[in-house]
Amino acid sequence: MSTSITDIPAKARNLTTLGDKTTKATVQFYGISQKTLFNDEEKVDLSPLGEALIATNWSDTQAAKLIDAYHELTLAGRVTNIKLLARWAQFHPDDADTVRDCMSVEPPDGIEVLQVLSRRGSQKLVFLATWRFRQQEVVLKQILAKGEHAERIFSRELQPHPLSMVHPNIIETHFLQNRKGEKFLVERRLTEVLDDNWDAGGVHEAANLLFDMAKALKFLHEHHLIHGDVKPDNIGRRGSNYVLLDFGICRDRELFTHEATPTGSLRTRAPELFIEEEYVEPEKVDVWALGATVYKSVTGRFPLVKVEESIPRISNAAERKTFEAVLKERVQKDWCNWVTLGGVPQPLKEVLNQMLTRDPKSRISTSDLIRTAEHELSAFLRSTSPAGDSNGRFSPLDEIGQIESYLTALANNVSLIPQYKRQSIYHRIRELETKSFGENEKERISRLAAVLQ
Amino acid sequence: MSRNKIQRIQDSVHGLMEFSGMETVVVDVLRTPELQRLRKIRQLGLVHLVFPGGEHSRLVHSLGASHLAVRFGRHIKEAAREFFAPVLCPDETVIRDLAVAALCHDLGHGPLSHAWEREMVRSFDRTAWSEALGLNPNEPALKDLKWHELVTQGLLAWEDGQLHQLLEQHEKGSSTRIRGLLSGQYDIHYIPRLLSSDVDVDRADFLKRDTHQTGVAYGRYDLDWLISTCTLGKCRHGDNTSWVVGFDRRKAIRVIEQFVIARQALYETVYQHKTVRCAEGMVANLLRRLKHLGGNFKMDVAGFVKPLVKIIHGEVLGPHELIQLDDFALFVLIDNVAHMTKQDPTAADLAQRIISRDLFKIVPVRPRQLDLFLDKPDARQILYKAIKPFCVGEPEYYLVEDTVEFNMMSKDDSTKVYLIDVENSERQAIPAHEDDALRQYEQIKNFSKRIYTIPGAVEVVRKVVEQA
C-alpha cells in the first residue's frame, strides 16, 4: 500500500516540522491505521500532539518513535485520547519510552494517568494519576513482576493496607484491578518525599519526624509487622504530618530473617543485621533505622557512614558486599567512634541514645519511645490534627479565597511563612486542585501553587 | 535534659503560669544570658525610691507577658477556627512564637531604662549601632526603631549568642521570625497586634504587676474578662478589608475603659511621679556630665562596668558587651563616681545625692508659665546664673527639666485597639476611640512641663520664672 504526505490531514501537518523521521511515521500512521481502524471522514486529529511535541522541543527521532508506538498500540486495539497523549508528551519531553509506559498501562476504572513518576527497579512502575471517585491525585503503582513473584509483592505491600485506613502516619493504600484483572496499588499522593539530602533544619522538624514515625512503627509492631526498610526515601509528608511509605519488604515478625534484609538499605541497617546473631526482637531493627534517619537529619550523616561515602546500589552486588564488610567491621571494632552523639542537639540526645543502642535487647521499644519522646521533646511536638484536612466548614472555593487573602496580606512574601506551614498550604492547594472546578478557579489555584513554590 | 510536658511557674500576679507542649521553650529561652540580664534591670527604674515595693525586674514582667501571650494566643486560636480553614488557623507554633516574642520584647532595654534613654541614647547613630549589632543598617524594618528595639533585634540576630543559637537549634529561621513578629511582620498578619497595641500583652501584664508591686489601687482591670472577649473582626481600608484582633463590642467596652483608665492612673501616680522623674533626671544629668568629661575623667572600675563606661564615652557596643549592661553595673559606677570628688566635684556631688536619695525638689510654678519661660532663648542661662551660688559644681547639672506626655488612646493604625461588632455577619471592626462610649478618652492627652533643682535654690528659681 503506497502512502504519501497527502495522507496526513492538513491540521496534523504541524508534525512534519519535526523532521523527516516524524513525517515518515505520521504518513505511515495515517496511511495504514486510519484506513484500517477509522472511517476516512473521522480521521484522528494528531495536531494537539504535534503542538505538544513542538512546544517541548522533541527531537525528530524521539517524536517518530512516539508516533510509531502510538501506531503500534492503536493497531493492537489500545485507544488513547490524543489530548491525554499530548499532555504526557509535555510531561516527559523527548522521552518516547516513558510516554509509551503511560499509553501502555490500562488503569483501573475511574483513574487517569497523568505522568510517570518513577521506574523502581524492575518491579514497579509508578504513575501520578487522578482518581475521580476520590477527587484526589494519587500514586498508581503497577507491579511489573508476573506470577508468584507479583503475588508476593502484593501481599507484602498490602499487609498494612487494612490498617492504614485508620492511621494518619501510614500511607493510605488501596488495592484495585483493571478490567483485565491486572492488579494495582493506589496510594494517596504526598507533596514531598524525603531523601538523603533532607535536613531537619533544627530540632523542631526532627522531633516531629521521630514522633510521627514512632507512632506508625508502634502501630505496625502491635500488628506483628516489621517494616524493615525505614529510611528517608520511605518517609513522606502530608501537610505537617510525616507518613511511612513503601512496604515492599514489610513482613510478619516471624518471617523477618537474615534473608529478608539484603533488600533493605545499608545506611539505616541495624548493627545486629551485620553480625550474624539471632533476631530476638526484630522490631528493634525499625527503631534503629528510625534513629539513624533522625540522626542523619540533624548531623548530616548516618551513624555508621561517612558524610562523603556513597552507598553501592543493590544492583552492584560485589561493591555492596565489600561495603557491607566495611560496615560490619565498624560495628564490631570501632563502634564508639562511629555512633557518637556529639553533633546531636541536646534535646534529641537522650532519645537518640536509647534508639541507637547497639544491643537490640537494650534498645528502646516503640511504645517506650513514644512515651520518652512525649516527655523529652514535648517542646517541639505538634499536636494538631493532620493539617490540610478541612473541617467541613468551608467549601473548596472558600478555602481558595482564604489562601489568596492570606498571601495577598503577605504581599506574596512567602519567606515569612514557616517551612512546615508553607508545605501544608501547598499540599492543601494540591488537594483542592483535584476538585471539580472551572478553568478560572484552576488558574487561581495554579497561581497560588506558583507563589508557594 | 529531662523535662515535663508542662512547665509550671508561680507568679505573684498571675498565680500559676503553665506552659505546655511547644510553649515550654519559654523556659529554655529564659535560661539564656540575654534574658537573664533582664533579671538585673528593674522594670520601673527608679520608682522604688518612691514606692519601695516597685523593685521587680524586667524578667518577671517579660515572663508575665509571655504567659498572657499564651492565654490570648490560645483564645485567638479557638476564635480563628470559625473563620479560617484549618491550614490557615494559628496553631501551637504560632502560640509558641507569640510566647517567645513576648518574653523577648524588652530584651534591649538599658539600665534604668527611662533615665538611660533620656540621656544616653536619645539620639543615637543608627548606622553605627546597627553595624555593631551585626544588623544591616539599610534593613527597612530597622528604620524607625528606638534604641532598645534595635538592640532587641541585634540580640536575637547575634549568631554567637545563646538565645539565637537556641532558637535556631529548635527551628532554623525561628530567630528571624521572632524578630519579624516583634517588628509587626508575621505570616498571620493579625497576630502582632497582640504584642503591640493600646491593649496588648505587654500593657496587660505591666498594669497588673506594677499596681500589685507598688501597692497603688488604681491599676486594676478584669483580665479574665478582657481575654474572653478577645476575638477577630474585619477592618476596612478603602476597598480592601483585613482581619484584625479586637474585642467583642457588646461585652468589652467597660473592660477596655477600665484598662485605659488604669493605665492613665498609673502614668499619673507612678511612672510620672514627680520624685521619680526628678531622680531619673538626676541620673541623666550625671551621665551627661560623665559624657562631657570623656577621657579626662579616669575611672578605675570593675570589668563588668567597662562597657558602661565605653558607651558613656560615645562608643558603640557589640552584643557581647551589651549583655553586661544592667542596673547593678550602673549603680556600681555611680558609687565609684561618688568617691571621686577630686576629679570632678560636680559628678561626685550628683552621684552622692543619687546614692543617698538626696534629690532635687520640684519648683512650684504653673506648667504653662514654665513653658512660656523656657521658650525664651536665654532662659537656661538666666536659671544657671540664679542657682550658681547654691551649687557645688557646674549649675547646668543642677537643673532637671521634665516634659511629661501621655496619650490615652492611639490613633496609629498599627497600634489602635478595635471593637468588633460580632452581631453583624460582616464582623466589622471599628477603632475603639471612634465608639460613642469611649470617644471621650480620645481627647485626653497630658502634656506638661516641670522643673527641679537643689532644695536651697527652689525659691530662687520660682521667683525667676514667675517674675519673667
Side-chain angles (χ1 to χ4, degrees):
Chain A
M1 192 182 301
S2 74
T3 56
S4 76
I5 197 162
T6 53
D7 286 322
I8 304 176
K11 275 202 287 187
R13 284 193 194 154
N14 56 358
L15 282 162
T16 61
T17 62
L18 288 158
D20 293 344
K21 289 177 190 165
T22 310
T23 306
K24 193 177 164 195
T26 312
V27 166
Q28 191 83 355
F29 174 78
Y30 277 108
I32 300 173
S33 310
Q34 204 69 26
K35 284 174 184 157
T36 317
L37 299 170
F38 309 101
N39 295 329
D40 273 352
E41 288 72 30
E42 295 173 10
K43 286 187 172 178
V44 174
D45 179 10
L46 285 184
S47 62
L49 176 64
E51 284 165 20
L53 298 179
I54 293 163
T56 46
N57 298 321
W58 277 63
S59 65
D60 187 26
T61 312
Q62 286 295 313
K65 194 173 173 188
L66 176 62
I67 291 167
D68 283 343
Y70 177 61
H71 186 176
E72 183 193 326
L73 288 167
T74 307
L75 288 174
R78 180 97 180 90
V79 180
T80 305
N81 179 306
I82 292 296
K83 285 189 177 160
L84 204 52
L85 178 59
R87 199 183 328 156
W88 294 332
Q90 280 181 318
F91 273 128
H92 302 292
D94 210 29
D95 187 351
D97 288 337
T98 303
V99 178
R100 189 194 171 103
D101 285 337
C102 295
M103 280 192 281
S104 307
V105 67
E106 190 175 329
D109 281 349
I111 291 185
E112 186 176 284
V113 167
L114 293 176
Q115 64 182 103
V116 173
L117 285 179
S118 71
R119 286 168 161 277
R120 290 194 160 192
S122 57
Q123 293 197 332
K124 274 183 271 181
L125 194 53
V126 184
F127 300 93
L128 177 65
T130 51
W131 192 0
R132 281 201 299 277
F133 166 62
R134 298 286 296 263
Q135 292 204 340
Q136 275 178 356
E137 277 190 358
V138 291
V139 173
L140 179 72
K141 292 183 178 175
Q142 185 183 24
I143 305 300
L144 298 177
K146 303 284 177 201
E148 271 185 33
H149 186 36
E151 289 303 321
R152 272 207 305 279
I153 294 172
F154 267 104
S155 63
R156 277 205 300 267
E157 291 267 358
L158 288 175
Q159 279 185 82
H161 160 241
L163 320 170
S164 65
M165 309 298 260
V166 293
H167 202 287
N169 302 112
I170 293 179
I171 189 71
E172 186 183 316
T173 310
H174 302 265
F175 167 67
L176 298 177
Q177 295 191 37
N178 65 8
R179 289 177 183 186
K180 289 186 200 162
E182 292 170 335
K183 291 168 181 173
F184 292 84
L185 291 166
V186 180
E187 289 177 358
R188 190 161 180 176
R189 193 213 176 181
L190 301 172
T191 43
E192 186 188 0
V193 175
L194 312 190
D195 59 25
D196 281 4
N197 295 322
W198 188 77
D199 176 351
V203 182
H204 186 86
E205 285 308 318
N208 281 287
L209 167 70
L210 187 153
F211 193 60
D212 283 357
M213 287 301 95
K215 286 187 286 185
L217 291 175
K218 176 174 178 270
F219 191 75
L220 290 179
H221 295 172
E222 282 171 354
H223 290 83
H224 307 287
L225 295 167
I226 312 299
H227 184 277
D229 199 14
V230 177
K231 59 183 177 182
D233 316 61
N234 287 343
I235 298 170
R237 278 174 84 158
R238 193 166 71 85
S240 55
N241 271 24
Y242 292 90
V243 178
L244 186 60
L245 316 172
D246 203 333
F247 293 79
I249 60 166
C250 180
R251 282 170 169 77
D252 190 279
R253 71 184 308 280
E254 307 304 332
L255 302 174
F256 199 76
T257 62
H258 274 95
E259 290 70 46
T261 62
T263 48
S265 170
L266 281 176
R267 55 207 194 279
T268 52
R269 189 179 288 182
E272 59 270 30
L273 301 183
F274 290 107
I275 40 184
E276 290 162 18
E277 291 169 5
E278 195 186 342
Y279 298 158
V280 186
E281 297 182 62
E283 291 86 356
K284 302 294 182 64
V285 165
D286 284 342
V287 174
W288 166 275
L290 175 58
T293 301
V294 174
Y295 184 95
K296 168 75 173 69
S297 78
V298 290
T299 64
R301 72 170 182 91
F302 291 99
L304 291 166
V305 184
K306 290 179 194 166
V307 177
E308 67 279 9
E309 239 163 9
S310 64
I311 316 291
R313 296 182 67 83
I314 199 160
S315 51
N316 194 337
E319 272 188 40
R320 197 169 162 89
K321 201 162 182 182
T322 311
F323 193 66
E324 269 188 62
V326 170
L327 294 181
K328 184 175 177 179
E329 182 151 323
R330 287 174 189 171
V331 169
Q332 287 178 320
K333 297 184 181 164
D334 208 11
W335 177 266
C336 296
N337 287 326
W338 286 95
V339 188
T340 57
L341 295 174
V344 174
Q346 186 62 38
L348 284 167
K349 271 190 179 154
E350 182 54 36
V351 184
L352 282 184
N353 187 35
Q354 294 188 50
M355 294 174 83
L356 297 176
T357 301
R358 185 175 149 178
D359 177 6
K361 286 181 199 157
S362 320
R363 196 175 303 147
I364 193 166
S365 68
T366 43
S367 338
D368 287 342
L369 177 58
I370 287 171
R371 270 196 294 277
T372 308
E374 279 179 329
H375 191 252
E376 298 289 327
L377 301 171
S378 59
F380 308 96
L381 300 181
R382 288 188 276 266
S383 61
T384 44
S385 58
D389 286 349
S390 172
N391 57 9
R393 190 188 287 274
F394 305 103
S395 71
L397 210 55
D398 288 338
E399 287 194 57
I400 293 172
Q402 288 182 12
I403 295 169
E404 279 175 339
S405 305
Y406 168 76
L407 291 174
T408 306
L410 286 172
N412 290 339
N413 180 7
V414 290
S415 66
L416 285 174
I417 311 173
Q419 184 59 35
Y420 82 92
K421 188 170 175 181
R422 202 186 311 175
Q423 185 72 30
S424 298
I425 299 172
Y426 182 72
H427 173 79
R428 185 63 191 149
I429 288 171
R430 286 294 178 209
E431 280 187 339
L432 291 171
E433 200 174 24
T434 59
K435 311 290 176 195
S436 305
F437 283 129
E439 286 306 313
N440 184 28
E441 285 72 32
K442 283 188 174 161
E443 245 177 60
R444 287 166 69 190
I445 290 175
S446 300
R447 274 200 299 273
L448 294 175
V451 170
L452 284 164
Q453 271 197 317
Chain B
M1 174 176 46
S2 181
R3 62 183 311 144
N4 294 319
K5 281 175 81 174
I6 296 179
Q7 296 284 329
R8 299 177 178 87
I9 300 174
Q10 286 286 9
D11 180 59
S12 61
V13 173
H14 302 299
L16 179 64
M17 302 192 291
E18 283 188 346
F19 297 94
S20 62
M22 281 193 197
E23 300 152 15
T24 57
V25 71
V26 161
V27 179
D28 296 332
V29 172
L30 203 57
R31 294 193 179 105
T32 62
E34 290 88 333
L35 260 295
Q36 284 298 309
R37 183 182 76 98
L38 299 183
R39 197 185 282 288
K40 293 177 276 180
I41 296 182
R42 289 189 182 95
Q43 166 72 7
L44 294 178
L46 294 167
V47 163
H48 67 280
L49 295 180
V50 180
F51 300 93
E55 291 260 14
H56 54 295
S57 71
R58 282 201 178 272
L59 186 87
V60 69
H61 157 61
S62 300
L63 196 51
S66 183
H67 163 69
L68 293 184
V70 168
R71 289 190 64 189
F72 274 96
R74 287 177 188 163
H75 198 78
I76 285 297
K77 179 183 164 195
E78 283 308 305
R81 287 161 59 91
E82 199 179 328
F83 313 113
F84 301 108
V87 76
L88 297 177
C89 281
D91 57 9
E92 61 255 75
T93 312
V94 173
I95 298 176
R96 179 201 65 185
D97 285 354
L98 254 179
V100 172
L103 188 65
C104 294
H105 81 282
D106 272 352
L107 207 55
H109 271 289
L112 303 181
S113 336
H114 298 295
W116 181 259
E117 291 193 351
R118 222 158 136 171
E119 184 51 45
M120 296 310 297
V121 289
R122 192 172 41 194
S123 59
F124 62 99
D125 183 341
R126 188 175 299 275
T127 304
W129 273 102
S130 299
E131 281 169 356
L133 289 164
L135 301 170
N136 175 3
N138 300 319
E139 206 179 306
L142 306 180
K143 199 167 66 114
D144 298 318
L145 297 186
K146 293 176 183 164
W147 182 82
H148 75 84
E149 292 168 334
L150 188 74
V151 172
T152 299
Q153 294 282 323
L155 291 178
L156 279 163
W158 180 29
E159 286 181 9
D160 293 334
Q162 282 186 30
L163 173 62
H164 176 91
Q165 287 175 358
L166 177 83
L167 292 174
E168 289 300 301
Q169 190 193 62
H170 275 60
E171 188 191 346
K172 258 183 210 161
S174 62
S175 66
T176 311
R177 206 161 64 241
I178 301 297
R179 284 180 58 199
L181 182 48
L182 284 169
S183 55
Q185 297 262 310
Y186 196 67
D187 77 297
I188 302 180
H189 66 276
Y190 52 80
I191 290 293
R193 195 176 294 272
L194 288 171
L195 291 173
S196 177
S197 76
D198 274 349
V199 180
D200 62 16
V201 296
D202 177 24
R203 291 179 182 185
D205 181 78
F206 77 59
L207 291 185
K208 284 222 161 257
R209 191 170 302 282
D210 298 346
T211 298
H212 175 80
Q213 292 292 137
T214 56
V216 298
Y218 319 110
R220 306 222 160 97
Y221 68 93
D222 190 342
L223 173 65
D224 294 337
W225 191 259
L226 185 75
I227 294 173
S228 85
T229 58
C230 186
T231 186
L232 291 166
K234 287 186 220 169
C235 182
R236 187 168 282 284
H237 313 278
D239 291 339
N240 300 321
T241 54
S242 62
W243 286 90
V244 289
V245 166
F247 297 87
D248 179 346
R249 184 165 177 269
R250 296 168 311 168
K251 308 278 184 188
I253 284 183
R254 293 303 161 222
V255 72
I256 300 282
E257 184 178 37
Q258 229 185 353
F259 193 93
V260 294
I261 290 175
R263 181 165 161 263
Q264 183 193 25
L266 277 181
Y267 265 84
E268 285 179 7
T269 57
V270 177
Y271 310 140
Q272 295 175 342
H273 187 283
K274 61 182 172 60
T275 311
V276 172
R277 296 289 292 180
C278 173
E280 286 171 0
M282 288 175 70
V283 172
N285 277 4
L286 171 62
L287 292 171
R288 182 155 57 91
R289 178 66 183 167
L290 295 176
K291 205 160 127 184
H292 170 76
L293 293 170
N296 297 328
F297 192 77
K298 304 285 180 217
M299 286 182 273
D300 183 20
V301 289
F304 68 97
V305 186
K306 283 185 175 149
L308 195 58
V309 174
K310 280 173 83 173
I311 202 169
I312 288 168
H313 288 166
E315 292 178 43
V316 294
L317 305 183
H320 59 291
E321 291 174 309
L322 275 165
I323 60 169
Q324 294 182 56
L325 291 183
D326 57 41
D327 287 4
F328 293 92
L330 182 56
F331 272 102
V332 167
L333 177 75
I334 295 173
D335 202 49
N336 272 9
V337 172
H339 294 94
M340 300 167 96
T341 316
K342 283 185 186 164
Q343 276 212 57
D344 185 67
T346 308
D349 183 49
L350 282 171
Q352 282 165 21
R353 284 172 181 275
I354 293 164
I355 297 285
S356 58
R357 200 190 176 281
D358 178 11
L359 305 175
F360 296 167
K361 296 289 178 199
I362 191 164
V363 178
V365 285
R366 279 175 291 142
R368 177 75 187 138
Q369 201 171 22
L370 179 63
D371 203 20
L372 282 173
F373 174 78
L374 290 174
D375 270 352
K376 292 182 174 191
D378 57 349
R380 272 94 190 160
Q381 293 309 319
I382 294 170
L383 289 177
Y384 297 155
K385 193 175 169 188
I387 65 171
K388 195 168 189 324
F390 304 91
C391 303
V392 173
E394 300 290 328
E396 62 180 286
Y397 298 100
Y398 285 82
L399 209 59
V400 170
E401 278 180 45
D402 183 23
T403 304
V404 286
E405 287 178 86
F406 175 76
N407 282 346
M408 205 145 173
M409 296 184 93
S410 165
K411 283 188 184 173
D412 188 304
D413 267 350
S414 62
T415 52
K416 61 189 171 195
V417 63
Y418 285 95
L419 292 171
I420 315 289
D421 187 355
V422 298
E423 285 172 330
N424 181 316
S425 61
E426 283 301 302
R427 295 188 73 87
Q428 193 189 357
I430 55 160
H433 68 261
E434 289 178 14
D435 188 276
D436 287 344
L438 298 172
R439 199 184 300 277
Q440 54 183 313
Y441 301 111
E442 181 203 347
Q443 311 302 330
I444 297 178
K445 294 182 183 68
N446 290 343
F447 179 87
S448 75
K449 287 219 168 200
R450 298 188 285 213
I451 193 165
Y452 312 83
T453 188
I454 48 174
V458 167
E459 194 52 26
V460 173
V461 173
R462 185 184 67 79
K463 281 182 185 161
V464 169
V465 173
E466 285 181 349
Q467 286 166 10

